[in-house]
Amino acid sequence: MASWSSDTPCSCDCFVSVPPASAIPAVIFAKNSEPTAGRGAGGGVCTGRHSCPGSRSRWCTYSEVEQVSRTHAVILSRPSWLWGAEMGANEHGVCIGNEAVWTKEPVGEGEALLGMDLLRLALERSSSALEALRVITDLLARYGQGGSCREDPTPFCYHNTFLLADRTEAWVLETAGRLWAAQRIQEGARNISNQLSVGTDISAEHADLRTHALAQDWWDGQSTFDFAQVFSLTQQPVRMEAAKARFRAGQQLLQQCHPHRSWAASSRPLWKGRARCMPEHHGAGVGTGPQCNPFAPLSLVLGGQLGLCLNKVCYFPVR
């Protein structure tokens, strides 16, 4: 049974622009999160390190995973109470953001890896977006995902979608329990919100994805396989219904910017443009309510260099 909140609808949004959609020769990555009252925001830089002899584990928010011999330096934007992160980048220019989704697969309320733990682990262990995708899917296969994603007595559990980018390309990775599908973006722009969006254009997938869908009678085995259509709930939670408007607004913004007007090289115009599509869960206008975050993180990956703006580190106000 899926678990979600009945509170005022809100959502997150991630964007990526890969040349030639960007006005500059850079991959542009951005995320807007959903700060709520009482939810402290944290961040920081974690240096890369070699594991000490005999070190065999890494504690995450709730659970323990096997440690690797070398981790990369990362900068993170995260709720202060957990180990993982909502968005971050590493020393190799890999950027990742995550979104909450609910699917036909049951959500695990037991303590396991949060999507935000998977995000941080992938940044610590990868040097490209594709490698980060493989880290996440391997960890899903070994440990699964689950656990409450907020510091409240009432459990709030979900599955995750991820937007991963490096200096040359991006990937959308969407999960349903331990199952997953991914889409590669080599040029143009892409956005994700709190809903499944990988349809028939699947670049990689879990080996048992279609077999499982067929066994559950979610897919007839004959029609074109559409991951979002097959795995999305027939009756969506309020949060995911609200995210549809935000997702469409994001698509429209990207269409307006490309090809006639590429994403601006200046971060301030980019911020103003992105902000227009953030508050669509209430229907119109630039949001100013407690669920809307006008200060969102931005990354620019240019050649071997990474320019990064994160919550609580650097702000570009919307005016």
Side-chain angles (χ1 to χ4, degrees):
M1 185 72 178
S3 174
W4 61 78
S5 171
S6 59
D7 298 336
T8 302
C10 51
S11 68
C12 298
D13 311 271
C14 287
F15 291 80
V16 70
S17 176
V18 180
S22 308
I24 56 176
V27 173
I28 303 173
F29 179 97
K31 175 173 179 176
N32 182 73
S33 62
E34 47 170 18
T36 56
R39 177 187 180 190
V45 177
C46 302
T47 59
R49 65 181 61 185
H50 293 276
S51 294
C52 299
S55 176
R56 299 181 59 101
S57 63
R58 167 66 123 168
W59 273 103
C60 301
T61 302
Y62 299 123
S63 59
E64 188 178 22
V65 300
E66 185 177 351
Q67 180 61 292
V68 294
S69 60
R70 174 76 171 90
T71 59
H72 308 305
V74 298
I75 183 169
L76 307 169
S77 176
R78 63 187 182 87
S80 57
W81 66 272
L82 54 75
W83 181 84
E86 291 187 341
M87 183 262 191
N90 71 14
E91 62 185 277
H92 299 287
V94 178
C95 303
I96 311 176
N98 82 306
E99 310 281 344
V101 293
W102 292 265
T103 73
K104 292 177 181 175
E105 282 294 291
V107 174
E109 294 188 4
E111 294 184 349
L113 289 176
L114 299 179
M116 291 170 279
D117 293 335
L118 292 166
L119 187 156
R120 178 172 174 176
L121 288 166
L123 289 173
E124 289 186 342
R125 302 176 181 205
S126 64
S127 57
S128 70
L130 178 57
E131 187 177 6
L133 183 150
R134 290 170 176 162
V135 169
I136 292 174
T137 56
D138 287 348
L139 289 167
L140 276 176
R142 294 186 64 183
Y143 303 103
Q145 62 179 320
S148 182
C149 299
R150 65 183 181 189
E151 198 178 19
D152 286 342
T154 303
F156 179 57
C157 309
Y158 52 74
H159 295 148
N160 291 267
T161 69
F162 302 90
L163 186 59
L164 313 94
D166 59 29
R167 63 178 61 92
T168 61
E169 65 178 10
W171 286 81
V172 175
L173 170 63
E174 301 191 332
T175 71
R178 294 175 188 258
L179 302 173
W180 56 272
Q183 178 187 2
R184 187 182 188 187
I185 295 93
Q186 294 180 283
E187 63 176 26
R190 182 71 152 83
N191 65 301
I192 62 173
S193 293
N194 295 103
Q195 61 179 305
L196 298 180
S197 61
V198 174
T200 59
D201 186 7
I202 300 174
S203 307
E205 64 186 69
H206 190 284
D208 297 329
L209 183 69
R210 303 188 191 210
T211 303
H212 181 77
L214 191 61
Q216 297 294 321
D217 202 26
W218 298 338
W219 178 53
D220 60 15
Q222 300 298 321
S223 58
T224 302
F225 185 80
D226 184 312
F227 175 73
Q229 185 179 67
V230 170
F231 278 85
S232 291
L233 290 163
T234 303
Q235 182 177 358
Q236 298 278 14
V238 174
R239 181 182 293 251
M240 289 184 72
E241 283 294 335
K244 290 180 180 179
R246 295 167 68 94
F247 180 70
R248 288 193 298 268
Q251 286 183 313
Q252 291 168 5
L253 172 65
L254 297 179
Q255 289 168 2
Q256 291 169 8
C257 292
H258 178 74
H260 304 294
R261 185 165 57 86
S262 297
W263 276 35
S266 168
S267 55
R268 187 177 295 272
L270 173 62
W271 237 245
K272 290 181 179 179
R274 279 181 56 253
R276 288 199 301 271
C277 69
M278 296 305 177
E280 289 296 328
H281 58 275
H282 290 304
V286 175
T288 56
Q291 306 295 338
C292 180
N293 180 14
F295 305 115
L298 170 73
S299 297
L300 297 174
V301 184
L302 176 59
Q305 303 298 315
L306 173 68
L308 186 66
C309 176
L310 285 174
N311 288 337
K312 302 302 182 183
V313 177
C314 177
Y315 288 131
F316 290 91
V318 177
R319 299 188 184 279

